Amino acid sequence: MAVKNEITEKENMILCIEGKKPAWLPSFYDACVQTGVSPFGRRLDEKTGFAVDIFGVEFTRTEDGPLPASNLDQSFTLKDIHKWRDIMPQIDLKAVDWAAEAARIKSTAPVDKMLLYGGGPVWEELHYMMGFEEALIALIEEPEEVSNCLNAIADFWIEALRLFCKHMKPDMVVFAEHMATGNGPLMSPATYRSVLKPIHRKMFGAVRELGILTELHCDGYIEPLLPDFAEIGVQCLQPFQIFNDINRFKQECQITAIGGWDTFGRGNQFDSTEEECRQSVRTAMDAYSPGYRYAFLQGGAAPRYKQNSEWLADEARKYGRTFYQEG
């Protein structure tokens, strides 16, 4: 049954996030567009060829996306957690022309899609600067100093968001914090709750105070921390991966699941057929559409497999429109 275009992709996605019955099953990339502000973008160092973020971390591009260059030669930006103050961005946030940034974004942002503002990460930035191993060691050996560092980074991003929102309010703010693998969280729930959770509570609380929806980007098996995420104000989790009991936790925690696609399945291989790609979309939508609070996202689709991505996006658009129809 054809869907009448009586609401926009943005309006339909908001219904999904609110736990209401959407007009169709949303596809994240059709419903949302992400933006950021120019002063925080990575700049190209023409001498090295690396893109450098505002904390001095160098990134190299691979066929699957950018990675910290320090992963290759262990040349970490921060080698001693006690010296974190030395690498804090030297940016006067009040000197940024926020009105011009807002005008630039407004001039290109589609009005029928949700505008997502990429809020800066804290734990993510720490492991960019130190590497996962050293960041985890610091978390255990120097939790107070890690907390001081991450609180300072969080305060920087919160102030930036508040200044930006005086000129333009995005629909949702996304924080990316990779804290898990497919086997479980990188840290114990106790460590998360004692060090990171208070900082995340502050970050998501600041976003909610501004009247903006919240999203956490976190891959992997993250079930042990989902109740904590709900408690501190996370409204959406992406890419909510199939390692987790998605239907159970989207209801128990009232968190909208954005994802549900099998990143490692037949729909994401170099030799995937068109039917395998399309079936991987249908499998996800069939599994997680009940109870609403679900939007499809092919999170982890390999950029090198461009044809696969085109099939996935097309099927998500077409098959999603067959859900939640009357009659």
Side-chain angles (χ1 to χ4, degrees):
M1 180 177 178
V3 177
K4 294 180 180 179
N5 291 317
E6 296 175 349
I7 64 173
T8 64
E9 290 279 1
K10 171 180 173 177
E11 291 167 334
N12 192 59
M13 187 70 179
I14 290 174
L15 287 174
C16 173
I17 294 170
E18 292 175 342
K20 298 175 183 176
K21 181 181 179 181
W24 62 88
L25 196 158
S27 176
F28 179 81
Y29 289 133
D30 280 347
C32 305
V33 61
Q34 187 162 329
T35 190
V37 293
S38 300
F40 304 148
R42 295 171 187 166
R43 60 174 180 80
L44 178 65
D45 185 330
E46 294 187 358
K47 291 183 179 179
T48 64
F50 294 140
V52 186
D53 76 7
I54 59 173
F55 291 86
V57 179
E58 296 177 326
F59 290 82
T60 182
R61 178 158 293 280
T62 73
E63 61 184 342
D64 290 320
L67 289 174
S70 55
N71 286 0
L72 304 176
D73 60 11
Q74 306 296 292
S75 57
F76 298 113
T77 309
L78 180 63
K79 295 183 173 150
D80 181 349
I81 188 62
H82 294 89
K83 296 182 179 180
W84 62 266
R85 293 168 184 82
D86 297 342
I87 50 80
M88 286 295 290
Q90 300 302 305
I91 297 175
D92 181 356
L93 290 175
K94 292 183 179 174
V96 173
D97 191 341
W98 295 105
E101 286 296 317
R104 176 184 62 81
I105 293 169
K106 286 178 182 177
S107 69
T108 58
V111 296
D112 61 338
K113 296 181 185 290
M114 288 189 70
L115 181 66
L116 277 59
Y117 177 97
V122 290
W123 164 253
E124 188 90 327
E125 193 65 48
L126 185 65
H127 75 69
Y128 284 164
M129 293 187 288
M130 301 189 78
F132 273 117
E133 296 89 345
E134 292 301 321
L136 288 166
I137 290 170
L139 192 61
I140 298 302
E141 294 185 345
E142 300 286 352
E144 184 175 349
E145 202 61 31
V146 169
S147 178
N148 291 338
C149 172
L150 299 190
N151 266 297
I153 296 174
D155 290 341
F156 176 88
W157 292 125
I158 290 169
E159 182 183 1
L161 176 64
R162 286 173 173 159
L163 290 167
F164 177 74
C165 286
K166 290 181 179 180
H167 302 278
M168 180 182 184
K169 192 164 85 170
D171 299 300
M172 188 152 66
V173 170
V174 185
F175 294 112
E177 296 281 70
H178 287 101
M179 297 179 289
T181 70
N183 295 320
L186 293 173
M187 63 205 71
S188 71
T191 297
Y192 173 77
R193 289 164 189 151
S194 65
V195 182
L196 287 175
K197 184 176 178 179
I199 301 167
H200 285 160
R201 185 192 301 276
K202 176 170 65 174
M203 293 162 62
F204 286 104
V207 177
R208 298 288 291 270
E209 286 173 7
L210 290 165
I212 302 172
L213 296 168
T214 60
E215 179 181 296
L216 174 64
H217 174 96
C218 186
D219 300 72
Y221 174 73
I222 205 72
E223 277 189 18
L225 303 183
L226 287 173
D228 298 282
F229 295 160
E231 182 189 327
I232 62 177
V234 175
Q235 293 168 285
C236 304
L237 181 70
Q238 68 104 331
F240 211 146
Q241 292 189 296
I242 63 171
F243 309 115
N244 306 279
D245 188 340
I246 294 175
N247 280 333
R248 173 189 166 194
F249 282 94
K250 73 178 184 177
Q251 296 303 324
E252 288 187 5
C253 297
Q254 298 293 284
I255 290 178
T256 296
I258 300 175
W261 180 67
D262 186 357
T263 309
F264 302 99
R266 283 301 310 164
N268 194 34
Q269 305 300 322
F270 76 95
D271 59 348
S272 298
T273 66
E274 178 176 357
E275 177 54 27
E276 286 173 328
C277 290
R278 292 183 182 277
Q279 182 57 53
S280 72
V281 175
R282 298 192 292 267
T283 297
M285 289 186 168
D286 288 344
Y288 305 120
S289 59
Y292 314 134
R293 287 195 185 280
Y294 173 64
F296 177 81
L297 169 67
Q298 57 267 40
R304 68 181 91 171
Y305 308 148
K306 293 182 179 179
Q307 180 64 76
N308 291 12
S309 294
E310 292 173 5
W311 288 329
L312 294 168
D314 182 64
E315 188 65 22
R317 189 172 301 119
K318 292 176 179 176
Y319 196 56
R321 290 272 169 160
T322 68
F323 286 80
Y324 310 137
Q325 303 306 300
E326 300 294 338

